[in-house]
Amino acid sequence: MHTLGWIGLGHMGEPMAMNLLQAGYKVNIYNRSQEKTMPLVEAGAVNLHSPKEIAEQSDIIFTMLSNADAVQSVLTQNNGVLEGIKSGKVVVDMSTISPEDSRLFAELVSEKGGIYIDAPVSGSVGPAKAGQLVILAGGDERAVEMCQPYFNILGKETIYFGSNGKGSSAKLAINLLLGIIGQGVGETLLFADRSGLDREKVLDMISFSAVNTGLFQGKKEMYRKEEFPSAFMLELMAKDLGLIKAEADRMETTLPLAEVTNTTYRSAKENGKAQLDMAAVYLELKDKNKK
């Protein structure tokens, strides 16, 4: 049985690492904020003092961090992961970053004799807790197969897309659709509100229609109450849409809905909604239409 290392115990990382522990695996953990390690230590995790120690004492090192800067820091800092990498070690980055950054990090790990997999996930905190994420993998196929028992604990499905960076591209693609749907629902509710329609009946109409989605059902109570506790923070959606815009520009690809959606979420973040759920884009649309 492999010894697993886990770096990053935020909203997603903590329940994911906990699921591996509860499945009976040995898990070493590191987090910059030590207070976040306590629930996992109580559940049997080994709390180590640096990313380097995680790499030295683990066969497979998982990272789940907020952005590429955080991943790069964990890899390259003094006492970072790269200082502890030896031949055969596998780094599985489950963060949402650009394909270009994923390929760069793969090169850095490869230079140390390790193998890097980009394996971001589709799903928010609820699916993370339930082990129902969709894992989007890029990198060495044999290494992905070696990690599959752990992916089976973390998610309901693993989709292998190919070489390094492909998993990250897949994550940006699905999050583009997520952002567009979020804005679409917000605009629909705003239009219905302005038309004088009863909110409850509009929610029922969407629920019974061909455009009902699991996403809508998951956010339905938020729209009903106009309260948006975070399952997937709006600032993270804004970050991902910025990555999508940059990647589209790099590919010289015009994505009109992506452009508009990126602008709206960025505005919502700048106007104090960053820590709310991504569905709070509705509030931004509502604020912009105040008379």
Side-chain angles (χ1 to χ4, degrees):
M1 182 184 296
H2 296 113
T3 297
L4 309 179
W6 195 280
I7 301 173
L9 299 173
H11 292 299
M12 296 289 287
E14 191 273 339
M16 294 169 74
M18 184 68 78
N19 283 344
L20 292 172
L21 272 173
Q22 292 177 341
Y25 294 110
K26 180 180 179 181
V27 181
N28 298 320
I29 59 172
Y30 171 80
N31 195 75
R32 187 172 55 182
S33 302
Q34 284 295 299
E35 66 271 12
K36 292 185 178 180
T37 66
M38 295 311 299
L40 288 151
V41 170
E42 291 172 0
V46 178
N47 186 23
L48 299 180
H49 299 99
S50 70
K52 178 183 178 182
E53 289 186 10
I54 290 286
E56 288 174 335
Q57 299 183 40
S58 309
D59 303 306
I60 302 173
I61 302 98
F62 293 87
T63 56
M64 186 56 152
L65 300 162
S66 58
N67 54 45
D69 288 343
V71 178
Q72 184 167 17
S73 176
V74 159
L75 291 176
T76 64
Q77 68 187 51
N78 290 334
N79 289 318
V81 167
L82 293 179
E83 293 185 11
I85 287 288
K86 294 181 180 178
S87 179
K89 302 261 185 179
V90 178
V91 176
V92 181
D93 182 32
M94 309 194 83
S95 317
T96 300
I97 61 176
S98 74
E100 182 179 6
D101 283 326
S102 288
R103 289 187 289 269
L104 170 63
F105 298 151
E107 290 178 8
L108 294 176
V109 171
S110 179
E111 288 170 0
K112 296 292 185 178
I115 301 169
Y116 174 97
I117 298 170
D118 45 299
V121 300
S122 179
S124 56
V125 174
K129 290 180 178 178
Q132 291 294 296
L133 298 165
V134 178
I135 296 161
L136 314 171
D140 183 87
E141 189 168 10
R142 287 174 296 179
V144 173
E145 290 172 355
M146 184 179 75
C147 293
Q148 193 60 57
Y150 314 114
F151 291 158
N152 289 343
I153 300 299
L154 300 172
K156 62 182 178 181
E157 187 68 37
T158 301
I159 305 174
Y160 176 68
F161 284 92
S163 59
N164 282 123
K166 297 295 187 183
S168 292
S169 291
K171 177 59 187 290
L172 295 185
I174 194 62
N175 273 19
L176 172 56
L177 184 58
L178 179 66
I180 290 171
I181 291 172
Q183 174 144 344
V185 173
E187 291 190 17
T188 295
L189 293 177
L190 180 61
F191 179 83
D193 291 344
R194 289 299 180 89
S195 300
L197 300 180
D198 179 90
R199 171 66 60 87
E200 195 62 36
K201 291 180 180 179
V202 171
L203 296 175
D204 286 343
M205 175 182 70
I206 298 172
S207 295
F208 290 121
S209 75
V211 293
N212 181 42
T213 64
L215 175 67
F216 175 74
Q217 290 302 317
K219 311 293 187 187
K220 188 174 178 180
E221 195 64 21
M222 296 184 189
Y223 295 125
R224 177 178 285 120
K225 295 181 178 180
E226 293 197 12
E227 297 175 357
F228 297 90
S230 177
F232 178 32
M233 281 193 296
L234 188 144
E235 69 176 348
L236 296 178
M237 185 77 255
K239 181 263 292 184
D240 295 350
L241 287 165
L243 293 176
I244 290 161
K245 178 177 175 9
E247 189 68 3
D249 289 347
R250 185 190 67 79
M251 297 186 295
E252 298 182 346
T253 302
T254 301
L255 300 173
L257 289 177
E259 292 278 354
V260 172
T261 306
N262 178 50
T263 298
T264 307
Y265 279 89
R266 187 175 66 246
S267 175
K269 175 185 173 182
E270 292 169 353
N271 289 327
K273 303 174 182 71
Q275 302 299 307
L276 300 177
D277 188 79
M278 58 153 287
V281 71
Y282 161 75
L283 296 179
E284 182 66 14
L285 294 165
K286 185 178 179 181
D287 288 347
K288 287 188 178 300
N289 283 275
K290 285 181 177 177
K291 292 182 177 178

